[in-house]
C-alpha cells in the first residue's frame, strides 16, 4: 500500500519587527494556511480581505506581537493614512531599501502625526506617550529625519519600536505615504 502525505505550504510576505538593517527574506514558507475566519472573544470575524504576513523579530513585543507570528493586515487607503486614531501597530513600506532581496515591510507603533519639525514641541505634544528622555528622543528623531530625502520631509508620522539588540525604546519619523496598512490581528 502506498500512502501520500500532502503538506500544504503557503508563502507569506515577511514584515520586520526589528532593525531595518537586519536582512530578512521577502517571503517565508509556512506550514498550513491562515484561515479567512477567526474567533476573537468568541465572535467569528471575517478576515478574508486582510493581507496575511509573517513577523520577523520582537520589536513589537510590548504590543503582543512576536517573532514568528502570523498577522492580518488591513491595507489603508490614502485618505485613511491621514486619519489614523487609537494608536495601532502599522505596517510601513521600507523606503529606499538598498537590498532588493530584503523584506519590503516593517512594523512600528503609531504615536501621532508631526506637523512641524520643532523637536521640543513634538516631545511636549506626545510626552504622555514617549518613554525616553527628551534629549534621547530629539537625538533619535533628528537622526532619522536627516536620513529622509527632502521630498519626504513633510506629512510625517512619529512611531515607536523596541531595539532588541540595545534593549531600548526608539522613536522615528516616517512619511505618511509609506504607511501600508494596520495590523488587525496577530495569531
Amino acid at each position: 500500500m502506498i500512502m501520500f502525505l500532502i503538506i500544504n505550504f503557503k508563502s507569506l510576505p515577511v514584515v520586520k519587527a526589528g532593525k531595518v538593517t537586519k536582512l530578512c527574506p521577502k517571503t517565508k514558507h509556512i506550514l498550513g494556511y491562515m484561515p479567512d475566519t477567526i474567533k476573537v472573544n468568541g465572535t467569528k470575524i471575517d478576515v478574508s480581505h486582510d493581507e496575511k504576513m509573517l513577523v520577523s523579530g520582537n520589536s513589537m513585543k510590548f504590543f503582543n506581537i512576536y517573532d514568528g507570528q502570523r498577522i492580518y493586515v488591513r491595507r489603508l487607503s490614502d485618505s485613511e493614512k491621514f486619519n489614523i486614531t487609537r494608536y495601532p501597530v502599522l505596517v510601513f513600506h521600507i523606503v529606499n531599501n538598498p537590498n532588493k532581496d530584503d523584506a519590503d515591510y516593517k512594523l512600528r507603533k503609531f504615536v501621532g502625526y508631526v506637523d512641524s519639525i520643532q523637536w521640543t514641541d513634538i516631545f511636549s505634544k506626545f510626552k504622555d506617550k514617549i518613554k525616553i528622555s527628551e534629549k534621547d528622543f530629539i537625538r533619535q528623531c533628528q537622526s532619522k529625519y536627516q536620513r529622509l530625502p527632502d521630498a519626504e520631509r513633510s506629512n510625517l508620522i512619529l512611531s515607536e519600536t523596541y531595539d532588541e539588540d540595545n534593549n531600548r525604546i526608539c522613536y522615528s519619523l516616517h512619511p505618511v505615504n509609506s504607511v501600508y496598512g494596520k495590523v488587525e490581528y496577530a495569531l
Side-chain angles (χ1 to χ4, degrees), residues 66-85:
Y66 301 94
D67 183 53
Q69 277 189 305
R70 300 167 189 188
I71 59 173
Y72 290 91
V73 177
R74 186 173 66 80
R75 190 142 186 207
L76 298 178
S77 69
D78 287 342
S79 63
E80 288 174 311
K81 293 176 185 181
F82 287 92
N83 294 297
I84 298 168
T85 59

Side-chain angles (χ1 to χ4, degrees), residues 115-137:
D115 32 16
S116 73
I117 304 304
Q118 301 298 321
W119 303 115
T120 54
D121 292 346
I122 296 169
F123 183 83
S124 294
K125 179 178 178 180
F126 299 110
K127 68 182 172 190
D128 60 326
K129 294 177 184 68
I130 296 171
K131 301 170 184 121
I132 61 175
S133 72
E134 182 175 1
K135 179 181 174 183
D136 287 341
F137 173 79

